[in-house]
């Protein structure tokens, strides 16, 4: 039986930097990547299942999160019912991944069903990601539209 090699902190940091480089200039995708990498269960699942491929380009190495294929692997939210042992993600992590995929442009269906099971910390991270994607990286948006 193969032994899983532990993912070192420096490897995570390097991969995160490469993924952000790959999403450069696309604020919603950057927000999606940031969200996915802030939730360890989601990040590790994406990496472990090969959804964060790296590549060498003319500007150096980069990486991208393949949110579309990750969502295809999981099935659409609430359609699969209970979490299966094979997918390895709990419902809150699936909700985070669904929001991240939606921010990255993957059609995920209504998010209201996906976010019901978020923990308070995950809900905060999701709110920050949505704000970042909308162009408010410092969370200064006025919900009432005042300048």
């Amino acid at each position: 039986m193969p032994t899983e090699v532990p993912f070192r902190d420096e490897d995570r940091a390097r991969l995160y930097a490469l993924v952000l480089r790959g999403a450069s200039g696309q604020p919603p995708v950057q927000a999606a990547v940031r969200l996915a990498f802030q939730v360890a269960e989601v990040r590790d699942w994406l990496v472990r299942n090969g959804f964060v491929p790296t590549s060498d380009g003319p500007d150096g190495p980069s990486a991208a999160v393949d949110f579309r294929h990750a969502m295809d692997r999981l099935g659409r939210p609430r359609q699969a019912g209970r979490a299966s042992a094979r997918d390895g993600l709990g419902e809150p992590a699936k909700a985070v991944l669904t929001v991240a995929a939606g921010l990255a442009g993957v059609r995920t269906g209504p998010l209201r069903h996906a976010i019901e099971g978020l923990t308070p910390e995950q809900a905060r991270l999701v709110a920050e990601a949505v704000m970042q994607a909308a162009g408010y990286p410092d969370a200064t948006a006025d919900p009432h539209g005042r300048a």
Side-chain angles (χ1 to χ4, degrees), residues 4-21 33-34 36-48 52 54 63 65:
E4 187 174 318
V5 178
F7 201 52
R8 299 180 318 208
D9 288 338
E10 51 272 9
D11 295 334
R12 284 186 191 101
R14 171 130 170 86
L15 185 59
Y16 181 58
L18 291 175
V19 173
L20 285 178
R21 172 185 260 187
V33 165
R34 183 173 179 243
F37 270 66
Q38 285 178 313
V39 178
E41 183 180 359
V42 174
R43 177 199 61 223
D44 293 346
W45 183 85
L46 288 166
V47 171
R48 186 173 53 251
V52 189
T54 58
V65 177

Side-chain angles (χ1 to χ4, degrees), residues 76-97:
R76 296 295 180 227
R78 300 290 183 200
Q79 289 179 352
R82 295 180 302 217
S84 72
R86 138 192 126 174
D87 66 41
L89 277 180
E91 291 300 318
K94 285 181 184 181
V96 169
L97 179 57

Side-chain angles (χ1 to χ4, degrees), residues 74-143:
L74 285 182
R76 296 295 180 227
R78 300 290 183 200
Q79 289 179 352
R82 295 180 302 217
S84 72
R86 138 192 126 174
D87 66 41
L89 277 180
E91 291 300 318
K94 285 181 184 181
V96 169
L97 179 57
T98 299
V99 172
L103 290 173
V106 176
R107 294 189 65 169
T108 61
L111 292 179
R112 70 178 181 270
H113 299 297
I115 63 174
E116 292 172 349
L118 292 173
T119 66
E121 174 64 13
Q122 290 168 337
R124 183 186 64 77
L125 294 172
V126 164
E128 288 175 359
V130 170
M131 294 291 288
Q132 181 184 5
Y136 299 98
D138 59 358
T140 59
D142 182 349

